[in-house]
């Protein structure tokens, strides 16, 4: 309520401005989803509105225009993938949407809406294709620019937990909660299936991110399985097993059997495979012999939920509960890690941006962190300097994504493409109260 009009938001998605006696509506705008909040500025010129679809915008009363300020997921963000060529970020959420954002403008560019909840996503390393894995076990591949469904595969009987491409773009892999592993030909536009293996990947929600990892030379694929204690390294072209490592026997003094949770190849060294374990350890394993090269205990207070290594091999990134840690990869400093907080709920996945100038973490929100590492030659002299920082202060930076969108459809999921200047349905004039 203001001195000039009364503002209401309703379940039908309409933001309405009424005369003070509620006899007529002189301005209204239709948002996507039920309106959940309205607020009028002190000068009565602007009306802020939020919808349950995760959209925030404002109505300019004088110009009769509506502008979207921000869009967001409405549930937990489960995973992400980055297209370093086009500088796009894609996210999958339990709200049933897959969204694509510009990493430069932070606007939402596209979104996919489906009744089938997506659990993981992966960008093709060179083509403008995105692969999505769903709880139903379906894997879909889309061409983003044309909004075209390229392939749909139903080899999985369980929830798709992992999707990844080889760095050279030749193959794609998917894994599900029932232990199946599928190899696809990513050079083929139809993404034809090459091989399917059953009961080879360990399931469990704790392995939902970083389920699969591929070496930087595209030769090896690694995953946890066939049991929770075994890490397998396989040939990327044939899925033939090259090495099995039982992590439960590496610590003979522990009274408990340690199990593997996450795996990650080091981009700078194809001979290093990092494994996060249930005992809150990070293990460095030799990909040639399976020998334990290094072990870091007590990585987080809680189990490690995600890990990544920088392209130059200088830094290790880990997530545990709601904290992010940046480590010296070689563990040669007096203080080998720094912890950064900002998330209010458990983090699902972390990773470096391809240019290594940023870090992305997702869970209760999408966090963009500036990554400000010290120069390599001064690492030993400045081991305590902050590496994750706000551009203007030594704090985390959460950048707000703020797209506008226009709805459309393509294939089995609803596709929307965001374009600048679009707005919800806006009408003016007299409207009788029903």
């Amino acid at each position: 309520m203001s001195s000039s009009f009364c503002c209401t938001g309703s379940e039908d998605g309409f933001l309405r401005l009424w005369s003070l006696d509620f006899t007529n509506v002189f301005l209204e705008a239709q948002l996507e989803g039920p309106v959940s909040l309205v607020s009028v500025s002190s000068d009565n010129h602007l009306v802020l509105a939020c919808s349950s679809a995760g959209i925030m915008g404002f109505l300019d009363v004088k110009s009769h225009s509506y502008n979207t300020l921000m869009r967001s997921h409405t549930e937990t963000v489960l995973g992400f993938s980055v297209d370093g060529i086009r500088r796009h970020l894609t996210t999958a959420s339990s709200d049933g949407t897959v969204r694509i954002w510009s990493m430069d403008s932070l606007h939402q560019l596209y979104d996919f809406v489906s009744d089938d909840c997506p659990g993981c996503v992966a960008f093709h390393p060179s083509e403008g294709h995105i692969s999505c894995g769903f709880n139903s076990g379906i894997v879909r591949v889309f061409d983003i620019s044309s909004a075209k469904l390229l392939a749909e595969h139903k080899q999985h009987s369980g929830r798709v937990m992992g999707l990844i491409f080889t760095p050279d773009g030749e193959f794609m892999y998917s894994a599900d909660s029932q232990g199946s592993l599928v190899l696809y030909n990513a050079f083929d536009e139809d993404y034809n299936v090459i091989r399917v293996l059953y009961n080879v990947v360990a399931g469990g929600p704790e392995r939902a991110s970083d389920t699969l990892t591929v070496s930087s030379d595209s030769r090896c694929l690694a995953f946890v399985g066939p049991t929770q204690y075994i890490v397998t390294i396989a040939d990327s072209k044939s899925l033939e097993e090259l090495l099995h490592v039982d992590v439960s026997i590496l610590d003979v003094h522990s009274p408990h059997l340690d199990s593997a949770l996450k795996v990650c190849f080091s981009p700078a060294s194809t001979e290093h495979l990092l494994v996060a374990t249930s005992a809150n350890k990070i293990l460095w394993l030799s990909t040639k012999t399976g020998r334990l090269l290094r072990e870091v205990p007590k990585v987080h207070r809680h189990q490690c939920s995600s890990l990544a290594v920088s392209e130059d091999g200088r830094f290790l990134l880990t997530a545990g509960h709601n904290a992010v840690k940046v480590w010296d990869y070689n563990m040669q400093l007096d203080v080998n890690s720094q912890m950064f907080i900002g998330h209010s709920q458990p983090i699902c996945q972390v990773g470096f941006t391809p240019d290594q100038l940023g870090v992305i973490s997702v869970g209760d929100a999408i966090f963009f962190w500036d990554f400000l590492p010290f120069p390599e030659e001064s690492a030993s002299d400045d081991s305590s300097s902050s590496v994750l920082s706000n551009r203007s202060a030594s704090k985390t930076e959460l950048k707000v994504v703020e797209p506008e969108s226009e709805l459309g459809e393509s294939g089995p999921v609803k596709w929307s493409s965001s374009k600048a200047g679009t707005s919800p349905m806006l009408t003016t004039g007299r409207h009788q109260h029903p």
Side-chain angles (χ1 to χ4, degrees):
M1 180 76 73
S2 73
S3 59
S4 303
F5 55 83
C6 180
C7 181
T8 63
S10 58
E11 289 288 324
D12 60 7
F14 276 94
L15 169 67
R16 294 184 174 95
L17 272 58
W18 300 77
S19 60
L20 291 176
D21 59 4
F22 282 93
T23 57
N24 64 82
V25 173
F26 63 88
L27 188 61
E28 67 179 16
Q30 186 176 13
L31 283 69
E32 296 174 33
V35 180
S36 56
L37 181 146
V38 293
S39 180
V40 182
S41 63
S42 57
D43 58 7
N44 297 334
H45 292 166
L46 300 175
V47 179
L48 180 72
C50 300
S51 81
S52 61
I55 302 170
M56 177 185 294
F58 67 90
L59 178 64
D60 190 314
V61 179
K62 283 190 172 182
S63 66
H64 294 177
S65 64
Y66 180 91
N67 294 281
T68 300
L69 292 174
M70 183 183 72
R71 290 179 182 270
S72 68
H73 286 290
T74 58
E75 300 290 343
T76 301
V77 183
L78 303 172
F80 71 90
S81 181
V82 177
D83 181 348
I85 297 176
R86 299 161 187 83
R87 293 189 56 77
H88 289 169
L89 168 73
T90 182
T91 53
S93 170
S94 54
D95 64 8
T97 66
V98 172
R99 305 183 187 228
I100 301 173
W101 318 85
S102 166
M103 294 179 63
D104 296 318
S105 68
L106 302 179
H107 286 197
Q108 179 182 294
L109 304 177
Y110 308 95
D111 69 355
F112 303 86
V113 182
S114 175
D115 294 332
D116 189 3
C117 182
C120 51
V121 288
F123 269 118
H124 190 286
S126 57
E127 302 293 335
H129 300 168
I130 181 176
S131 178
C132 308
F134 295 87
N135 284 356
S136 66
I138 296 176
V139 174
R140 295 186 177 106
V141 184
F142 297 92
D143 179 82
I144 298 174
S145 60
S146 65
K148 178 183 177 182
L149 176 66
L150 299 178
E152 180 177 276
H153 294 286
K154 301 179 180 180
Q155 273 70 30
H156 293 292
S157 58
R159 177 172 59 93
V160 180
M161 300 193 309
L163 274 174
I164 196 169
F165 287 89
T166 53
D168 61 11
E170 184 175 359
F171 300 108
M172 183 181 79
Y173 311 88
S174 61
D176 70 18
S177 58
Q178 299 299 315
S180 298
L181 176 64
V182 183
L183 167 63
Y184 307 85
N185 182 358
F187 279 169
D188 188 342
E189 188 176 89
D190 295 329
Y191 285 76
N192 288 324
V193 174
I194 298 175
R195 190 177 183 187
V196 181
L197 300 180
Y198 299 98
N199 301 317
V200 295
V201 180
E206 68 276 8
R207 297 178 180 84
S209 67
D210 309 316
T211 301
L212 306 171
T213 182
V214 179
S215 60
S216 57
D217 60 6
S218 299
R219 292 182 177 181
C220 296
L221 171 74
F223 52 88
V224 180
T227 72
Q228 60 184 328
Y229 308 110
I230 303 296
V231 173
T232 297
I233 299 176
D235 180 81
S236 64
K237 295 183 178 181
S238 64
L239 297 185
E240 295 296 330
E241 297 173 359
L242 301 177
L243 186 67
H244 272 183
V245 181
D246 188 343
V247 301
S248 67
I249 63 174
L250 296 179
D251 187 355
V252 295
H253 302 293
S254 174
H256 305 289
L257 290 178
D258 203 1
S259 60
L261 299 178
K262 312 287 181 179
V263 289
C264 177
F265 275 108
S266 172
S269 175
T270 57
E271 295 186 1
H272 288 182
L273 177 66
L274 279 67
V275 181
T277 74
S278 58
N280 292 337
K281 299 176 183 178
I282 301 292
L283 310 178
W284 274 252
L285 302 179
S286 168
T287 58
K288 302 297 183 182
T289 65
R291 184 169 62 91
L292 179 63
L293 304 175
R294 185 186 303 142
E295 175 183 313
V296 177
K298 300 179 180 178
V299 177
H300 288 276
R301 292 183 179 180
H302 302 80
Q303 289 182 348
C304 179
S305 58
S306 184
L307 74 164
V309 179
S310 61
E311 289 292 329
D312 59 7
R314 292 177 56 201
F315 300 99
L316 168 65
L317 189 65
T318 63
H321 194 55
N322 60 354
V324 175
K325 278 189 177 182
V326 181
W327 301 76
D328 171 47
Y329 181 83
N330 294 311
M331 303 294 168
Q332 295 178 346
L333 303 179
D334 294 334
V335 179
N336 286 314
S337 69
Q338 286 182 281
M339 183 173 70
F340 300 87
I341 59 174
H343 285 271
S344 59
Q345 295 179 21
I347 298 169
C348 295
Q349 188 178 352
V350 293
F352 291 95
T353 57
D355 57 12
Q356 294 193 101
L357 298 178
V359 166
I360 300 172
S361 57
V362 300
D364 56 326
I366 305 169
F367 277 62
F368 287 81
W369 310 69
D370 280 342
F371 185 58
L372 309 174
F374 44 77
E376 189 170 5
E377 60 272 12
S378 65
S380 59
D381 300 326
D382 193 16
S383 61
S384 62
S385 60
S386 178
V387 293
L388 285 186
S389 174
N390 186 289
R391 285 190 176 92
S392 59
S394 295
K395 297 180 180 179
T396 66
E397 180 174 8
L398 172 58
K399 299 178 180 177
V400 179
V401 286
E402 44 182 62
E404 294 98 9
S405 75
E406 182 173 80
L407 291 179
E409 288 194 11
S410 173
V413 296
K414 185 183 293 182
W415 168 286
S416 39
S417 168
S418 300
K419 299 179 181 179
T422 61
S423 66
M425 183 187 299
L426 187 68
T427 58
T428 61
R430 298 180 65 86
H431 180 82
Q432 295 298 322
H433 180 66

